[in-house]
Amino acid sequence: MVQKTFRVSAVIVWLSSLSLGILTTVPKIAEKHPNGFEAVTSALITTSFTLFVWYFNIYSLPKFTKEHSSSGFSYPLLFRSIAIGIVLMFLMVGAQKLAIPTLDFGPVVLMFEVRGIMINLIFYMLLHLLYQTHRNQQVILELERSKADNLGAQYELLKQQVNPHFLFNSLSTLKSMVELEDKNSVDFILKLSDFYRFTLENRKLDLISLSEEIEILDAYMYLLKARFEEGIELEYRVPENVYRTWIPPFTLQLLVENCIKHNVVSLDKPLHIAIYEENGLLIVENPLQLKKNPEHSTEVGLDNINRRYFHLLNQKVQIENDQEYFRVKLPLIHENRNH
């Protein structure tokens, strides 16, 4: 989402500046012998100075606040604004002195300098409050967008998990096993039950441990082996400590399903899938033995995985295709972020 630029309405800036300028003429007008010209020049000085404070801080505040984001309050900007304001006010009162030679310069410049410092302090605090409110609104909008995207990703994931083609193929395999009185039919039913139990238990979680994810994948591979027999092989080369990292649920299952979808899987040409760790990445790799008539790729699975990693880590998965092997590289997650 594109961040909105911080803006303050020009109407607010000009009305507040003019109003403050007019208010400063009240004491002059209330004098026994008011000097109209002096009142007007005082109003112009105050109005011009307030406009300067507004626009100087509006254009400087985002940069300075970003550099001091821990506190959210930029003292360097405030002090710089006050220092520049002191010099500017001195020059403006000096110009007024040239226009009105009878002006008592010392007391008048002191009064204007104090007024300028007060204007700087008050308007900086007001502007800081407006800017922090703007930033908070941006954060809330970003959180709402992320929440909406995450719900969409979960929906797409759920559609992938309960894949009707996979369920149909599994039931067809089970039917054949029962008809042949295969002694492994009961184990197949139990593994199919386990897989869908995992689906129901983990579908709402952002992350599960890699060891749990591999348990899901093992159940899935058992079902595939019943269908493809020795036509598919899965090899783990994962260090023990990596099993304690975290992963979005069903990531590996979706990647294995993606391998089967696009590659030849047969006894004559077995598909060998490897899962291993390298340079802080979990890699799923398979040789390219593409089907002659591949299924149409919607890329929903890879996009789903990509979006979930981006939401969790602000990183994307890496996809490599060197014409010999296809690899998907997943960043390792060392912290449980379900809460």
Side-chain angles (χ1 to χ4, degrees), residues 22 24 37 63 80 145 171 190 193 211 230 259 274 300-302 314 326-327:
I22 293 169
T24 59
F37 184 70
K63 174 187 173 184
R80 195 173 84 167
R145 184 195 67 82
L171 293 176
L190 291 174
S193 172
S211 58
E230 302 305 316
C259 294
V300 171
L302 284 175
N314 201 27
F326 183 83
R327 301 180 187 88

Side-chain angles (χ1 to χ4, degrees), residues 197-212:
R197 176 174 57 83
F198 291 141
T199 300
L200 294 173
E201 288 176 352
N202 297 307
R203 66 183 179 181
K204 293 183 179 180
L205 295 176
D206 292 328
L207 295 170
I208 60 175
S209 67
L210 182 59
S211 58
E212 290 178 291

Side-chain angles (χ1 to χ4, degrees), residues 208-242:
I208 60 175
S209 67
L210 182 59
S211 58
E212 290 178 291
E213 176 74 0
I214 287 178
E215 189 177 352
I216 295 172
L217 186 57
D218 286 341
Y220 181 66
M221 284 301 300
Y222 183 92
L223 302 175
L224 293 178
K225 293 285 284 185
R227 177 183 170 193
F228 295 110
E229 298 179 344
E230 302 305 316
I232 187 168
E233 296 292 338
L234 178 62
E235 177 188 7
Y236 297 112
R237 300 197 300 271
V238 181
E240 187 65 30
N241 63 305
V242 176

Side-chain angles (χ1 to χ4, degrees), residues 106-158:
V108 172
V109 76
L110 179 61
M111 179 192 69
F112 272 100
E113 291 292 7
V114 172
R115 181 184 298 173
I117 292 172
M118 293 301 296
I119 290 173
N120 251 312
L121 289 172
I122 292 170
F123 279 88
Y124 179 79
M125 295 295 293
L126 175 61
L127 192 59
H128 175 76
L129 178 62
L130 292 173
Y131 183 67
Q132 289 303 316
T133 302
H134 164 80
R135 290 184 65 186
N136 291 339
Q137 288 175 343
Q138 293 299 302
V139 170
I140 291 170
L141 288 173
E142 180 65 21
L143 288 174
E144 289 298 321
R145 184 195 67 82
S146 297
K147 183 178 178 181
D149 284 354
N150 193 43
L151 288 174
Q154 287 183 7
Y155 176 65
E156 294 293 345
L157 174 63
L158 184 58

Side-chain angles (χ1 to χ4, degrees), residues 166-196:
F166 169 70
L167 181 59
F168 175 78
N169 290 331
S170 297
L171 293 176
S172 296
T173 302
L174 177 60
K175 176 178 177 293
S176 300
M177 293 174 71
V178 171
E179 289 175 346
L180 295 172
E181 298 183 355
D182 192 321
K183 62 180 181 180
N184 294 317
S185 298
V186 174
D187 288 337
F188 185 90
I189 293 170
L190 291 174
K191 290 294 183 182
L192 184 61
S193 172
D194 284 343
F195 178 75
Y196 280 96

